[in-house]
Amino acid sequence: MDKNAVKELIARRVAKELKDGDVVNLGIGLPTLVPKYLPENVTLILQSENGIIGVGRLTDENKDVHITDAGGNPAAIIDGGCYFDSCTSFGIIRGGHVDATVLGALQVSENGDISNWIIPGKMIAGMGGAMDLVSGVDNVIVAMLHTQKGQPKILKKNTLPLTAAGCVKTVITEMGVMRIRPEGIVLEEFNPEYTIDEIVAATEATLIISDDLKPML
């Protein structure tokens, strides 16, 4: 699969995790593809941590250079949406008013630790709102490639600085859907393009295979 097809596959599967009416924060990059694949009966209220509730689909007609999302990209707002300052925005996040967040990650551990803000020695733009999101939102979904340059990203223990500990609920990659459970990380769905042995080999963490394992849809 080429890179774009992989991203679309992951985004399509993430879209099935979200419920109609959910207030959802989408990280930059791959997570921004998710709304494209929502079922017709599901409408989300998208939140951007720089101070928007009701981020809408950007078109040539509604493009406004004064409106950007948290990644600095042009954004639009739906009818009934609103703007507010960063204090209010992070009060919404920390107060538990966002139902789900979808973010990328550099590493995830088998007990739900996430590293996604820094690689020591490399320049960074800043930690953004990730630390607040993964601490203030109950349903934390990681959407990412299963490996990086052939190296596993799902580990027994993270080697990069943590963004937060024990917060991730679900990990969705091009290889499958994994849930963080008290007993460890459980593979519940697999991409039939890969064998179970290939998925296990690409995962450093101890991968528990669900008794109800099914193909990834």
Side-chain angles (χ1 to χ4, degrees):
M1 300 176 70
D2 66 37
K3 192 172 183 178
N4 288 333
V6 166
K7 289 182 177 180
E8 290 175 1
L9 170 71
I10 297 169
R12 185 181 295 110
R13 181 57 188 82
V14 171
K16 296 182 179 182
E17 296 290 307
L18 305 174
K19 302 178 181 63
D20 187 48
D22 275 356
V23 177
V24 178
N25 179 285
L26 299 176
I28 61 174
L30 192 161
T32 62
L33 300 175
V34 172
K36 179 180 176 182
Y37 299 103
L38 290 170
E40 290 185 2
N41 62 338
V42 174
T43 300
L44 304 180
I45 301 169
L46 298 180
Q47 186 264 357
S48 183
E49 65 259 35
N50 62 322
I52 306 175
I53 284 280
V55 179
R57 187 180 299 275
L58 188 68
T59 66
D60 290 336
E61 288 73 27
N62 65 13
K63 188 173 182 179
D64 185 333
V65 296
H66 300 291
I67 304 173
T68 62
D69 62 20
N73 302 305
I77 188 167
I78 62 173
D79 291 342
C82 61
Y83 310 104
F84 33 78
D85 60 27
S86 292
C87 290
T88 301
S89 182
F90 281 92
I92 289 169
I93 293 168
R94 295 169 184 167
H97 305 293
V98 177
D99 297 300
T101 183
V102 183
L103 3 159
L106 298 166
Q107 296 177 341
V108 177
S109 76
E110 60 189 11
N111 67 332
D113 299 343
I114 181 173
S115 299
N116 74 343
W117 76 280
I118 187 173
I119 298 176
K122 293 192 176 183
M123 185 178 293
I124 60 168
M127 67 186 69
M131 291 183 179
D132 297 271
L133 285 162
V134 296
S135 300
V137 179
D138 183 60
N139 187 14
V140 176
I141 302 168
V142 167
M144 67 177 188
L145 299 180
H146 205 96
T147 61
Q148 178 68 29
K149 296 181 179 179
Q151 297 302 308
K153 296 174 67 176
I154 304 172
L155 310 175
K156 292 181 180 295
K157 185 176 181 180
N158 292 14
T159 59
L160 294 174
L162 295 188
T163 304
C167 60
V168 177
K169 296 292 177 64
T170 303
V171 180
I172 298 177
T173 75
E174 76 279 15
M175 289 189 170
V177 178
M178 288 141 280
R179 311 285 185 188
I180 308 296
R181 305 293 189 195
E183 63 271 26
I185 186 164
V186 181
L187 180 69
E188 294 192 350
E189 298 178 25
F190 72 102
N191 183 345
E193 292 203 17
Y194 302 93
T195 67
I196 301 303
D197 286 344
E198 286 174 328
I199 298 171
V200 170
T203 310
E204 188 212 74
T206 301
L207 198 58
I208 302 168
I209 310 303
S210 171
D211 293 334
D212 191 32
L213 182 67
K214 57 186 179 182
M216 183 179 177
L217 302 177

